[in-house]
Amino acid sequence: MTALLRYQAALLLRSQRWLAPFVAYAAFVAVGIRPGDPVLDSLGYAAAGLVPFAAWLVRICVTNEPAAARDCAAAAAGPVRVHAAALLTGLAGALLTGALAAGAALLVCDRAAAGPAAAAGAGGLVTVVCALTGAAVGALCARPLLRRRGHGVLAALLGSLLALVLAPSPARGAVSALVTAGRSGTAPLPFTDLAVALALAAAAGAVACLAAARRG
């Protein structure tokens, strides 16, 4: 699996298709996070933007490989492992980018209302929740479940929006709790939302991998 992850990561970096979502997310963070803002609000803002970013990046990873190369990799390692490696690569990229954004917020924003350690812990958990939620959306809105690019993009946009506005969504719950806590200064630790997000991402990944195995 390690070799597959390295292969998928190299494929993603060399394709440069990650530049568009990365630049869009960086602009989103740069516009919304300003020096002196409350740190918990800024962390919640950065985490919320990670949902569509993760969905976009996962879609790129599972559609990045040429058909012939994908068939060769599937024949050598199995379609389930190949597809799982693509999903994990997209998730890892989203987590790394989210960590950079959270680090920037912790550096420039006002940490007076919440201690640096508490803010970092809460922000880290919410970042993971949003990355997992976005990855689940991306896994369900890409090949092999949705083969047409237009359908997949529209589904990913709608899924990301619903993940941010629907009450049952772990991303919405975690971000709302963090932003609300910005007024009280008590940083929450959304372990329940993290468990739900893990379950959703695992279920979405399993469905996508099984579909990849069935279609060969």
Short mmCIF file of all heavy atoms in Angstrom, two decimals, residues 29-56:
data_model
loop_
_atom_site.label_atom_id
_atom_site.label_comp_id
_atom_site.label_asym_id
_atom_site.label_seq_id
_atom_site.Cartn_x
_atom_site.Cartn_y
_atom_site.Cartn_z
N VAL A 29 -8.84 31.57 2.39
CA VAL A 29 -8.26 31.77 3.71
C VAL A 29 -7.69 33.17 3.85
O VAL A 29 -7.87 33.84 4.87
CB VAL A 29 -7.18 30.71 3.99
CG1 VAL A 29 -6.42 31.02 5.26
CG2 VAL A 29 -7.81 29.33 4.09
N ALA A 30 -7.00 33.65 2.81
CA ALA A 30 -6.39 34.98 2.88
C ALA A 30 -7.43 36.08 3.01
O ALA A 30 -7.21 37.08 3.71
CB ALA A 30 -5.53 35.21 1.62
N VAL A 31 -8.57 35.90 2.37
CA VAL A 31 -9.63 36.91 2.45
C VAL A 31 -10.32 36.89 3.81
O VAL A 31 -10.66 37.94 4.37
CB VAL A 31 -10.66 36.69 1.32
CG1 VAL A 31 -11.91 37.53 1.54
CG2 VAL A 31 -10.05 37.02 -0.03
N GLY A 32 -10.51 35.71 4.36
CA GLY A 32 -11.32 35.59 5.57
C GLY A 32 -10.58 35.63 6.89
O GLY A 32 -11.21 35.81 7.94
N ILE A 33 -9.26 35.46 6.87
CA ILE A 33 -8.48 35.45 8.12
C ILE A 33 -7.57 36.67 8.13
O ILE A 33 -6.71 36.82 7.27
CB ILE A 33 -7.67 34.15 8.24
CG1 ILE A 33 -8.60 32.95 8.36
CG2 ILE A 33 -6.74 34.22 9.44
CD1 ILE A 33 -7.90 31.63 8.47
N ARG A 34 -7.77 37.52 9.12
CA ARG A 34 -6.99 38.75 9.22
C ARG A 34 -6.32 38.82 10.59
O ARG A 34 -6.86 38.31 11.58
CB ARG A 34 -7.87 39.97 9.03
CG ARG A 34 -8.48 40.08 7.64
CD ARG A 34 -9.40 41.26 7.52
NE ARG A 34 -10.55 41.12 8.40
CZ ARG A 34 -11.67 40.47 8.07
NH1 ARG A 34 -11.76 39.89 6.89
NH2 ARG A 34 -12.67 40.41 8.93
N PRO A 35 -5.15 39.44 10.66
CA PRO A 35 -4.46 39.58 11.96
C PRO A 35 -5.36 40.27 12.98
O PRO A 35 -5.99 41.28 12.68
CB PRO A 35 -3.24 40.44 11.61
CG PRO A 35 -2.99 40.17 10.17
CD PRO A 35 -4.35 39.99 9.55
N GLY A 36 -5.39 39.71 14.18
CA GLY A 36 -6.19 40.28 15.25
C GLY A 36 -7.58 39.72 15.38
O GLY A 36 -8.26 39.98 16.38
N ASP A 37 -8.04 38.93 14.39
CA ASP A 37 -9.35 38.29 14.51
C ASP A 37 -9.33 37.25 15.62
O ASP A 37 -8.28 36.66 15.89
CB ASP A 37 -9.74 37.63 13.19
CG ASP A 37 -10.16 38.63 12.12
OD1 ASP A 37 -10.35 39.81 12.48
OD2 ASP A 37 -10.26 38.24 10.95
N PRO A 38 -10.49 36.95 16.22
CA PRO A 38 -10.53 35.87 17.22
C PRO A 38 -10.08 34.54 16.61
O PRO A 38 -10.53 34.16 15.53
CB PRO A 38 -12.01 35.83 17.63
CG PRO A 38 -12.53 37.18 17.31
CD PRO A 38 -11.78 37.63 16.09
N VAL A 39 -9.21 33.85 17.29
CA VAL A 39 -8.59 32.68 16.70
C VAL A 39 -9.58 31.55 16.46
O VAL A 39 -9.50 30.85 15.44
CB VAL A 39 -7.41 32.20 17.59
CG1 VAL A 39 -7.91 31.66 18.92
CG2 VAL A 39 -6.59 31.14 16.86
N LEU A 40 -10.56 31.36 17.36
CA LEU A 40 -11.50 30.26 17.18
C LEU A 40 -12.40 30.50 15.97
O LEU A 40 -12.70 29.58 15.21
CB LEU A 40 -12.34 30.06 18.44
CG LEU A 40 -11.56 29.62 19.69
CD1 LEU A 40 -12.52 29.41 20.86
CD2 LEU A 40 -10.78 28.34 19.41
N ASP A 41 -12.84 31.74 15.77
CA ASP A 41 -13.63 32.06 14.58
C ASP A 41 -12.82 31.80 13.31
O ASP A 41 -13.35 31.24 12.33
CB ASP A 41 -14.06 33.53 14.62
CG ASP A 41 -15.11 33.82 15.67
OD1 ASP A 41 -15.59 32.86 16.30
OD2 ASP A 41 -15.46 35.00 15.86
N SER A 42 -11.57 32.20 13.32
CA SER A 42 -10.73 32.02 12.14
C SER A 42 -10.46 30.55 11.85
O SER A 42 -10.45 30.13 10.70
CB SER A 42 -9.41 32.78 12.33
OG SER A 42 -9.64 34.16 12.46
N LEU A 43 -10.25 29.78 12.90
CA LEU A 43 -10.04 28.34 12.71
C LEU A 43 -11.29 27.68 12.13
O LEU A 43 -11.21 26.80 11.27
CB LEU A 43 -9.67 27.69 14.04
CG LEU A 43 -8.26 27.99 14.55
CD1 LEU A 43 -8.11 27.51 16.00
CD2 LEU A 43 -7.21 27.33 13.67
N GLY A 44 -12.46 28.09 12.61
CA GLY A 44 -13.70 27.56 12.07
C GLY A 44 -13.90 27.94 10.62
O GLY A 44 -14.35 27.12 9.80
N TYR A 45 -13.55 29.16 10.27
CA TYR A 45 -13.66 29.63 8.89
C TYR A 45 -12.75 28.80 7.97
O TYR A 45 -13.18 28.34 6.90
CB TYR A 45 -13.29 31.10 8.84
CG TYR A 45 -13.27 31.71 7.46
CD1 TYR A 45 -14.43 32.24 6.90
CD2 TYR A 45 -12.09 31.78 6.72
CE1 TYR A 45 -14.41 32.81 5.63
CE2 TYR A 45 -12.06 32.34 5.46
CZ TYR A 45 -13.22 32.86 4.92
OH TYR A 45 -13.20 33.42 3.66
N ALA A 46 -11.50 28.63 8.39
CA ALA A 46 -10.56 27.86 7.57
C ALA A 46 -11.00 26.41 7.42
O ALA A 46 -10.87 25.81 6.35
CB ALA A 46 -9.16 27.92 8.19
N ALA A 47 -11.54 25.83 8.49
CA ALA A 47 -11.99 24.43 8.44
C ALA A 47 -13.19 24.28 7.52
O ALA A 47 -13.30 23.30 6.77
CB ALA A 47 -12.32 23.95 9.84
N ALA A 48 -14.12 25.24 7.55
CA ALA A 48 -15.30 25.16 6.69
C ALA A 48 -14.91 25.13 5.22
O ALA A 48 -15.48 24.37 4.42
CB ALA A 48 -16.24 26.33 6.98
N GLY A 49 -13.94 25.95 4.84
CA GLY A 49 -13.51 25.96 3.45
C GLY A 49 -12.82 24.68 3.03
O GLY A 49 -12.68 24.39 1.83
N LEU A 50 -12.41 23.89 4.00
CA LEU A 50 -11.73 22.63 3.69
C LEU A 50 -12.68 21.57 3.15
O LEU A 50 -12.24 20.63 2.48
CB LEU A 50 -11.04 22.11 4.95
CG LEU A 50 -9.86 21.16 4.78
CD1 LEU A 50 -8.75 21.82 3.97
CD2 LEU A 50 -9.32 20.73 6.14
N VAL A 51 -13.98 21.69 3.41
CA VAL A 51 -14.94 20.69 2.92
C VAL A 51 -14.97 20.64 1.39
O VAL A 51 -14.72 19.57 0.80
CB VAL A 51 -16.34 20.94 3.51
CG1 VAL A 51 -17.36 19.99 2.88
CG2 VAL A 51 -16.34 20.78 5.02
N PRO A 52 -15.25 21.76 0.70
CA PRO A 52 -15.20 21.68 -0.78
C PRO A 52 -13.80 21.43 -1.31
O PRO A 52 -13.64 20.77 -2.35
CB PRO A 52 -15.74 23.05 -1.23
CG PRO A 52 -15.55 23.95 -0.05
CD PRO A 52 -15.70 23.08 1.16
N PHE A 53 -12.78 21.92 -0.62
CA PHE A 53 -11.41 21.67 -1.07
C PHE A 53 -11.09 20.18 -1.04
O PHE A 53 -10.52 19.64 -2.00
CB PHE A 53 -10.43 22.44 -0.18
CG PHE A 53 -8.99 22.11 -0.47
CD1 PHE A 53 -8.34 22.69 -1.55
CD2 PHE A 53 -8.29 21.21 0.32
CE1 PHE A 53 -7.01 22.38 -1.84
CE2 PHE A 53 -6.97 20.90 0.04
CZ PHE A 53 -6.33 21.48 -1.05
N ALA A 54 -11.44 19.51 0.05
CA ALA A 54 -11.17 18.07 0.16
C ALA A 54 -11.94 17.29 -0.89
O ALA A 54 -11.41 16.35 -1.50
CB ALA A 54 -11.51 17.58 1.56
N ALA A 55 -13.21 17.66 -1.11
CA ALA A 55 -14.01 16.98 -2.13
C ALA A 55 -13.38 17.15 -3.51
O ALA A 55 -13.31 16.20 -4.30
CB ALA A 55 -15.44 17.53 -2.12
N TRP A 56 -12.93 18.34 -3.81
CA TRP A 56 -12.30 18.65 -5.10
C TRP A 56 -11.01 17.85 -5.26
O TRP A 56 -10.76 17.23 -6.30
CB TRP A 56 -12.03 20.14 -5.17
CG TRP A 56 -11.61 20.67 -6.52
CD1 TRP A 56 -11.30 19.95 -7.64
CD2 TRP A 56 -11.48 22.05 -6.88
NE1 TRP A 56 -10.96 20.80 -8.66
CE2 TRP A 56 -11.07 22.08 -8.24
CE3 TRP A 56 -11.65 23.25 -6.18
CZ2 TRP A 56 -10.83 23.29 -8.91
CZ3 TRP A 56 -11.42 24.44 -6.86
CH2 TRP A 56 -11.03 24.46 -8.20
#
